[in-house]
């Protein structure tokens, strides 16, 4: 049988890459940047931008109004509310933002099984978790700190006391920084439990709202029955009351607890330790989750 002489080898121009290998740090930074932009709908469809941008606008609109009121009313020598109070007052907006964007950040990777593809690049499980955690925390910090910045600039333009405003602004930034880390960790853990975005949204709303409602109700009962000593300790069982108790005890904020008296400095340290423990626990839970998810 005669050999087949029709076989040909075609050179279609492929060649090996001999450029700079940017490595894990660049991949981690790129994933962080992409995730942060995605939290506000940047780089996504116009439809995806509507909700995060709307929530961002709603979060910021009250800030210039508060400044305008404080300027127009001659008796005001300070802003109507403290910097540390703003996030507590607008907590529903924070919940909606987190519930809508945390599943977008992680659930789609699980649903479309793209998580192992990240591992095919120079990136490890810790890089993925750190990038996603940092991006979500940064997005929440931008959401919560921007109105504080607007209030601070407005207060300075109104010629309120510079040292008081700077101190209050700094305390507000510390508060929303811890809030952003705590809420991001809890939100990402809930979102990473399921590839279904709807379930992730419901889980995040539940883990933030249900404990808050329960703690607030029991605190009210304790206050009405004279068991005021239990109020401070009950605040340890809800994310938002944790932030409230911490900033009341250690940042000089006004408390939303029944009776308006927050925990002492000693109890406030317990609040801080619980917050840090929840943040670390959320990180550990995400690492464990993505060990099973292919990273």
């Amino acid at each position: 049988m005669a050999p087949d002489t029709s076989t040909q080898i075609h050179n279609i121009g492929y060649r090996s890459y001999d450029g700079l290998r940017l490595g894990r740090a660049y991949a981690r930074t790129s994933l962080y940047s992409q995730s942060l932009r995605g939290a506000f709908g940047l780089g996504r469809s116009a439809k995806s931008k509507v909700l995060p941008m709307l929530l961002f606008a709603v979060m910021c609109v009250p800030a210039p109004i508060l400044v305008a009121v404080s300027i127009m009313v001659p008796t005001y020598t300070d802003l109507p509310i403290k910097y540390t109070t703003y996030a507590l007052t607008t907590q529903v907006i924070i919940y909606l933002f987190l519930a809508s964007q945390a599943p977008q950040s992680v659930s789609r990777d699980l649903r479309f099984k793209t998580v192992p593809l990240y591992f095919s690049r120079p990136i490890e499980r810790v890089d993925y978790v750190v990038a996603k955690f940092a991006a979500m925390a940064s997005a929440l910090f931008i959401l919560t700190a921007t109105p504080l910045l607007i209030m601070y600039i407005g207060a300075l333009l109104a010629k309120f006391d510079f040292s008081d405003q700077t101190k209050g602004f700094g305390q507000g930034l510390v508060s929303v920084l811890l809030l952003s880390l705590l809420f991001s960790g809890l939100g990402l853990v809930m979102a990473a439990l399921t590839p279904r975005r709807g379930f992730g949204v419901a889980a995040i709303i539940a883990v933030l709202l249900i404990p808050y409602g329960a703690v607030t109700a029991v605190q009210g009962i304790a206050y009405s029955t004279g068991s005021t000593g239990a109020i401070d300790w009950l605040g340890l069982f809800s994310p938002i009351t944790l932030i409230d108790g911490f900033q009341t005890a250690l940042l000089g904020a006004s408390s939303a607890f029944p009776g308006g008296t927050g925990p002492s400095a000693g109890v406030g340290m317990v609040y801080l330790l619980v917050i840090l423990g929840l943040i670390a626990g959320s990180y550990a839970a995400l690492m464990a989750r993505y060990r099973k998810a292919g990273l």
Side-chain angles (χ1 to χ4, degrees), residues 260-279:
T261 57
S264 63
V267 179
M269 290 302 298
V270 178
Y271 273 71
L272 178 58
L273 291 176
V274 172
I275 292 171
L276 295 178
L278 285 174
I279 294 171

Side-chain angles (χ1 to χ4, degrees), residues 171-228:
Q171 291 172 337
L173 290 182
V174 172
S175 175
V176 297
L177 175 60
L178 273 182
L179 181 148
S180 300
L181 289 170
L182 176 61
F183 280 29
S184 295
L186 296 175
L188 288 175
V189 168
M190 293 298 103
L193 291 177
T194 173
R196 295 182 178 272
R197 183 174 181 178
F199 290 166
V201 171
I204 292 170
I205 292 294
V207 81
L208 294 176
L209 276 182
I210 293 177
Y212 172 67
V215 166
T216 302
V218 178
Q219 282 181 325
I221 294 172
Y223 181 74
S224 62
T225 57
S227 303
T228 55

Side-chain angles (χ1 to χ4, degrees), residues 38-41 44 47-57 97 100-101 143:
F40 292 98
R44 299 164 60 197
K47 181 180 178 181
S48 300
K49 295 180 176 65
V50 174
L51 183 58
M53 290 301 181
L54 178 62
L55 291 174
F56 182 75
F97 184 88
S100 63
Q101 299 310 310
L143 178 76

Side-chain angles (χ1 to χ4, degrees), residues 54-294:
L54 178 62
L55 291 174
F56 182 75
V58 172
M59 187 76 178
C60 292
V61 163
I65 295 176
L66 291 172
V67 173
V69 169
S70 64
I71 293 175
M72 294 174 62
V73 179
T75 56
Y76 277 149
T77 59
D78 200 352
L79 294 169
I81 66 173
K82 291 184 176 181
Y83 293 95
T84 48
T85 306
Y86 195 93
L88 300 182
T89 307
T90 56
Q91 60 182 280
V92 174
I93 303 172
I94 302 173
Y95 295 164
L96 292 175
F97 184 88
L98 179 64
S100 63
Q101 299 310 310
Q104 181 276 137
S105 181
V106 297
S107 295
R108 291 193 307 169
D109 291 341
L110 294 170
R111 183 166 67 253
F112 297 116
K113 302 185 185 303
T114 57
V115 174
L117 295 179
Y118 285 107
F119 196 48
S120 67
R121 296 291 185 264
I123 189 172
E124 296 184 3
R125 176 166 50 98
V126 63
D127 300 315
Y128 182 89
V129 172
V130 167
K132 290 293 184 178
F133 201 142
M136 195 69 250
S138 298
L140 275 185
F141 183 74
I142 292 171
L143 178 76
T144 54
T146 300
L148 302 188
L149 179 61
I150 295 172
M151 291 170 59
Y152 178 64
I153 294 174
L156 295 184
L157 292 176
K159 298 183 179 180
F160 294 152
D161 186 78
F162 175 80
S163 59
D164 288 345
Q165 297 304 317
T166 302
K167 179 182 178 181
F169 179 57
Q171 291 172 337
L173 290 182
V174 172
S175 175
V176 297
L177 175 60
L178 273 182
L179 181 148
S180 300
L181 289 170
L182 176 61
F183 280 29
S184 295
L186 296 175
L188 288 175
V189 168
M190 293 298 103
L193 291 177
T194 173
R196 295 182 178 272
R197 183 174 181 178
F199 290 166
V201 171
I204 292 170
I205 292 294
V207 81
L208 294 176
L209 276 182
I210 293 177
Y212 172 67
V215 166
T216 302
V218 178
Q219 282 181 325
I221 294 172
Y223 181 74
S224 62
T225 57
S227 303
T228 55
I231 293 176
D232 295 346
W233 299 107
L234 289 169
L236 294 170
F237 298 96
S238 162
I240 195 66
T241 54
L242 274 171
I243 298 298
D244 187 355
F246 159 75
Q247 65 181 21
T248 300
L250 301 179
L251 298 179
S254 300
S255 178
F257 288 2
T261 57
S264 63
V267 179
M269 290 302 298
V270 178
Y271 273 71
L272 178 58
L273 291 176
V274 172
I275 292 171
L276 295 178
L278 285 174
I279 294 171
S282 298
Y283 172 78
L286 286 170
M287 289 290 287
R289 174 68 180 97
Y290 284 101
R291 183 180 296 112
K292 296 181 179 180

